[in-house]
Amino acid sequence: KPNLYDHLGPKITIITVIKNKADYIEETILSIKNQNYKNIEYIVIDGVSTDGSIDIIKKYTDNIDYFVSEPDDGNYDAINKGISLSTGDLIGIVNADDILLGDATEILLEYYNKYSECDFFFGSVRKHWGVISGYKPYKIKYSWFFYTSPSTGFFIKRNAAENNGK
């Protein structure tokens, strides 16, 4: 479907994977819905939640471009499903118990436009015990997706994601 906001700039795909996070998912969805930047494709992949999460998600179908609830082989399998469905210029993961601050995607686009040669971008993530920030390439040997930078603050260009695989 054509996006009414295409003229505003690049499309950002945000993927949320979930299983049984009813206590958190509404706040996560609202943080995506309430972004100041609006050219966002939102994909929610549920691993067959049984705690009421699906009912909460269904309240926001007008704000979700693609939703599916089906068995999967865990978090990374669900993320890969979301990546396969994504059509955005930038792809990011916002976990089912995380949120984006209202100007997060605007800040992302400032860096995207200023550093167009970069393949990925990452921002600070505030946890209950403090703020995580910084890219630590030496940690890449442990885990590409999580340890090199905070996952919720990590966005990658579509072509870089395709070149590197899921």
Side-chain angles (χ1 to χ4, degrees), residues 5-89:
Y5 300 102
D6 284 342
H7 66 281
L8 295 178
K11 184 190 295 182
I12 300 171
T13 296
I14 296 175
I15 301 164
T16 297
V17 298
I18 177 174
K19 185 167 184 182
N20 296 327
K21 295 282 185 182
D23 291 344
Y24 305 101
I25 188 61
E26 188 163 28
E27 188 176 13
T28 301
I29 293 170
L30 289 172
S31 82
I32 307 307
K33 175 184 182 262
N34 295 328
Q35 286 298 297
N36 295 335
Y37 185 73
K38 298 299 183 189
N39 193 5
I40 295 174
E41 172 184 59
Y42 191 31
I43 297 172
V44 179
I45 308 292
D46 177 76
V48 191
S49 292
T50 57
D51 69 342
S53 294
I54 295 170
D55 293 330
I56 295 167
I57 294 165
K58 286 182 176 179
K59 287 176 24 182
Y60 296 97
T61 55
D62 288 348
N63 305 106
I64 298 170
D65 295 286
Y66 185 88
F67 167 64
V68 67
S69 181
E70 62 187 20
D72 56 49
D73 291 326
N75 196 45
Y76 293 106
D77 181 47
I79 289 169
N80 285 337
K81 285 181 190 180
I83 291 171
S84 294
L85 294 164
S86 69
T87 63
D89 302 294

